[in-house]
Amino acid sequence: MFAAVVTMFFLYTYGMVNLAAFVESFDENPLFRPSFHFYHRSPALTGALGCGVTAFLNNPSAAVSFQHHCEEAMANLATTLLVSSSGEADMFV
């Protein structure tokens, strides 16, 4: 089970990097300047989709379980960052 979790972690991490590169290039953000001279957004999208498909083909139950745990962790982190210990909203709200 440990190997499946590590595999899902790296697949989702690489997929999110590819997805971020695609979104930045698709939005034509002027601050996004890839150093590779022949950059195009289609390999970034293909890599992101390929990581998701590979995760589900590799181990469907681990892929769904890992995604569910990541969503819960991000929700807990957002709640922690948005509400201070005194119960008042921080500047992130």
Side-chain angles (χ1 to χ4, degrees):
M1 185 64 181
F2 179 73
V5 171
V6 171
T7 301
M8 295 306 137
F9 173 76
F10 282 106
L11 280 171
Y12 281 131
T13 301
Y14 186 66
M16 290 306 292
V17 168
N18 278 316
L19 186 62
F22 172 75
V23 168
E24 289 293 326
S25 64
F26 186 76
D27 287 343
E28 297 178 356
N29 186 351
L31 298 177
F32 179 70
R33 295 181 225 131
S35 59
F36 186 60
H37 183 67
F38 300 106
Y39 176 79
H40 194 264
R41 66 180 72 132
S42 62
L45 181 61
T46 304
L49 294 175
C51 285
V53 169
T54 303
F56 284 102
L57 289 177
N58 189 11
N59 192 342
S61 62
V64 171
S65 174
F66 187 75
Q67 183 179 9
H68 178 68
H69 289 300
C70 288
E71 289 172 357
E72 285 180 357
M74 291 303 292
N76 291 339
L77 179 63
T79 303
T80 304
L81 291 176
L82 293 177
V83 178
S84 68
S85 60
S86 64
E88 296 178 7
D90 283 341
M91 64 180 172
F92 298 107
V93 175

